[in-house]
Amino acid sequence: MTETPEILSTATRPARPVRQLLAASVGNAVEWYDWYAYTFLATYIADQVFPKSADNSLVPLLSTFAVFAVGFFMRPVGGLLMGAVADRRGRRAALTVTILLMGGSSLLVGLTPTYAAVGVLAPVVLVLARLLQGLSVGGEFAASTTFLVESAGPGRRGLFSSFQYVSTSIGQLMASGVAALLVSTLAEGQMDGWGWRVPFLAGALLSLVGFWIRQGAQETRETQGPRPGLFDALRHHPRQSLLICGITAGGTLAYYTWTSYLPTYAELNTGIDKSDALLAGTLALAFFALLQPVGGLLSDRFGRKPLLLFFGLGFALLSVPLLHGLTGSFVSLLLTQCAGMVLLTGFTSISAAVNAEVFPARVRAAGIGFPYSLTVALFGGTAPYMGTLFKELGHSGLFPWYVAALCVVSSLVYLRLPESAHRELDR
């Protein structure tokens, strides 16, 4: 006899949508606070964990971003495994596991020894921590995406979807704010010595808060029957899996370029002061978070395709002039980031809803988690590394063209995408 999980059997969505939003959003914010703290503090980690090259000062920074990319390549594994847990055991069970994994990996980063103290063991410990973080974040997106969209009322899937990136932005703001505070208050020696560890140790404590809040969430998976196999989504829905990749490719590259890498890009190519770059990034992220519900509401009213095309074609046309127009001034960086955030909202505010509307409920979490996370690993996770590599090779001007080209590819997918905003969600 096939064993079935104990899941919600009612035909209605959860009765307390605000509580559902809080459970998903708080945990997601904690997850992404940990993830982005690494990006904002990359230059300090590079100095302490990797050996310096006398010939090229970019070697430690490139190594740090390479480890950032390694973490991304664990995300497809996390998306597949935690997505399967969410489909088989329920969304809440998967969300509980991911927040605990992130807390443990954040603690490990905070306790990573320096290269001067233990040699090659230091980068080994850092790689292990990033692998665990990648596993957690990949699973988090798969589970929280389905959880959020399935918790939405009629005509509100876009709005609920937007809180995926509202909470992600809050996590980034927390990471950026803590990093900026430390940089501005600690002496250079203190920041290099122990200050960069503080955000990660705090992240481990915050993960316990997220774990506690998620215990009060209500399960949303309503499908009864045999548990799906690990690869059922890929086997039975290959077209939908490829569709997720096409939808995501341009969006993830643009997202990580504009929200994570742009301050470093500006530092490398315009010489802007590091503290100014962090402040501009923080203000732009706050603006971005406010835009997300607006984009979600617009998509519920007018459909998903208009917003996706607004994003894709906008970045295809404007990536090069925006990035080439950067100067070493704070105002230039802030305006460039905010302009990109407006365009980016066409993708980020509704990506969770679009992805969830592609797959049936039985395999939704794993079906979204693996192809989405694989695409993010290939294009989003490598954005900082590619940008820095173009700079080292003396062709930094090619990076904006790379962003524009991938957005053209995704725009072609959006043109052929069927409108799904006003269809009933399979439950």
Side-chain angles (χ1 to χ4, degrees):
M1 182 175 180
T2 305
E3 183 185 3
T4 57
E6 184 180 349
I7 51 180
L8 198 67
S9 59
T10 62
T12 58
R13 63 188 174 279
R16 291 179 289 182
V18 175
R19 185 167 184 175
Q20 297 293 97
L21 277 177
L22 181 62
S25 299
V26 172
N28 197 44
V30 173
E31 291 268 8
W32 289 97
Y33 162 83
D34 288 327
W35 185 260
Y36 282 109
Y38 184 92
T39 306
F40 290 123
L41 297 168
T43 54
Y44 298 101
I45 296 172
D47 288 340
Q48 296 300 308
V49 178
F50 292 96
K52 295 178 176 62
S53 167
D55 299 325
N56 194 335
S57 62
L58 284 177
V59 168
L61 185 59
L62 277 171
S63 300
T64 308
F65 282 140
V67 176
F68 183 74
V70 164
F72 270 88
F73 278 94
M74 280 300 288
R75 288 179 61 164
V77 179
L80 184 62
L81 295 179
M82 292 297 103
V85 170
D87 288 332
R88 291 163 63 89
R89 299 284 184 180
R91 317 309 190 203
R92 197 178 73 168
L95 291 172
T96 298
V97 175
T98 58
I99 196 72
L100 291 177
L101 276 175
M102 181 57 79
S105 59
S106 185
L107 179 64
L108 193 56
V109 173
L111 298 178
T112 297
T114 65
Y115 186 86
V118 299
V120 73
L121 182 61
V124 169
V125 172
L126 185 64
V127 168
L128 176 60
R130 293 301 297 177
L131 291 175
L132 289 175
Q133 283 184 317
L135 186 71
S136 172
V137 172
E140 172 69 18
F141 185 88
S144 63
T145 292
T146 54
F147 182 84
L148 273 172
V149 177
E150 289 171 354
S151 297
R156 286 291 179 265
R157 292 199 301 267
L159 175 62
F160 271 56
S161 168
S162 70
F163 280 86
Q164 181 79 28
Y165 280 92
V166 170
S167 55
T168 297
S169 300
I170 290 172
Q172 283 183 269
L173 284 169
M174 290 165 58
S176 176
V178 169
L181 179 64
L182 289 171
V183 168
S184 63
T185 57
L186 295 181
E188 189 69 23
Q190 292 175 313
M191 193 65 200
D192 287 333
W194 56 267
W196 65 269
R197 300 178 184 275
V198 173
F200 300 104
L201 298 177
L205 294 176
L206 287 172
S207 68
L208 297 178
V209 177
F211 171 78
W212 174 73
I213 291 175
R214 284 184 167 176
Q215 297 311 293
Q218 184 178 341
E219 184 55 71
T220 62
R221 182 172 180 262
E222 303 173 15
T223 303
Q224 299 286 352
R227 293 175 177 175
L230 186 62
F231 297 102
D232 274 11
L234 290 172
R235 266 203 315 266
H236 301 304
H237 305 279
R239 179 182 173 277
Q240 288 88 337
S241 298
L242 289 173
L243 192 60
I244 295 292
C245 295
I247 291 169
T248 305
T252 188
L253 176 59
Y255 175 76
Y256 282 101
T257 297
W258 244 257
T259 65
S260 299
Y261 179 60
L262 199 56
T264 302
Y265 178 87
E267 286 178 46
L268 292 175
N269 291 281
T270 71
I272 190 172
D273 183 74
K274 185 183 298 183
S275 61
D276 284 346
L278 280 172
L279 178 58
T282 301
L283 294 174
L285 279 171
F287 175 64
F288 180 66
L290 294 174
L291 289 175
Q292 299 311 295
V294 177
L297 286 169
L298 287 174
S299 79
D300 284 331
R301 182 173 178 84
F302 300 109
R304 317 292 189 222
K305 285 184 67 172
L307 269 78
L308 289 172
L309 289 170
F310 170 75
F311 152 72
L313 296 176
F315 261 98
L317 294 172
L318 297 176
S319 292
V320 174
L322 283 174
L323 291 178
H324 281 176
L326 272 176
T327 68
S329 75
F330 168 80
V331 173
S332 171
L333 178 57
L334 180 61
L335 291 177
T336 298
Q337 281 202 275
C338 287
M341 297 304 194
V342 173
L343 297 173
L344 194 55
T345 297
F347 170 78
T348 54
S349 64
I350 59 173
S351 65
V354 173
N355 291 340
E357 289 160 355
V358 168
F359 281 96
R362 182 174 177 272
V363 293
R364 181 170 290 138
I368 293 170
F370 181 73
Y372 174 87
S373 297
L374 179 62
T375 309
V376 171
L378 289 172
F379 300 108
T382 57
Y385 185 82
M386 291 296 293
T388 308
L389 184 61
F390 277 126
K391 171 66 176 177
E392 186 191 16
L393 296 175
H395 300 291
S396 58
L398 292 180
F399 182 70
W401 289 101
Y402 169 59
V403 176
L406 207 58
C407 288
V408 169
V409 173
S410 284
S411 294
L412 296 176
V413 176
Y414 304 152
L415 282 170
R416 298 181 58 85
L417 192 68
E419 183 57 68
S420 58
H422 307 300
R423 295 201 317 247
E424 284 291 324
L425 184 69
D426 173 63
R427 296 184 182 275

